[in-house]
């Protein structure tokens, strides 16, 4: 997928450079992102970068149940999550 720096730049472009976030690019190429804006956003992507899931304020019980929302790109996942946080 992308480098950590590239993913962080995409997060910054949507949520702003001052938002608290954790970006992890796993050795497999999968990506995990946690953004702490007005709410908590969790985004996970496949190594191929063609499937992204996101959740807003997930509870502990659903942490390993997958994401309710999915998209085909990181950009779309970030925009959709941003819109959900700000609605």
């Amino acid at each position: 997928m992308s480098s950590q720096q590239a993913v962080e730049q995409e997060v910054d472009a949507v949520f702003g450079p001052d938002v608290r976030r954790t970006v992890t690019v796993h050795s497999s190429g999968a990506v995990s992102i946690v953004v702490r804006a007005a709410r908590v956003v969790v985004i996970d992507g496949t190594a191929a970068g063609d499937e992204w899931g996101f959740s807003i304020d997930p509870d502990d019980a659903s942490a390993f149940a997958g994401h309710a929302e999915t998209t085909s790109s990181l950009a779309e996942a970030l925009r959709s999550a941003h819109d959900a946080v700000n609605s």
Side-chain angles (χ1 to χ4, degrees), residues 7-80:
V7 173
E8 289 179 352
Q9 288 173 340
E10 287 195 56
V11 172
D12 289 350
V14 175
F15 284 94
D18 295 328
V19 71
R20 292 184 307 147
R21 80 242 192 281
T22 303
V23 174
T24 305
V25 178
H26 301 279
S27 59
S28 67
V31 178
S32 298
I33 304 165
V34 177
V35 176
R36 291 171 181 83
R39 299 168 71 185
V40 175
V41 177
V42 177
I43 302 172
D44 294 301
T46 61
D50 60 354
E51 186 175 353
W52 295 86
F54 69 93
S55 299
I56 309 297
D57 295 328
D59 61 13
D60 290 341
S62 64
F64 294 100
H67 297 284
E69 304 291 333
T70 60
T71 67
S72 60
S73 72
L74 174 56
E76 185 179 351
L78 288 167
R79 281 192 307 274
S80 296

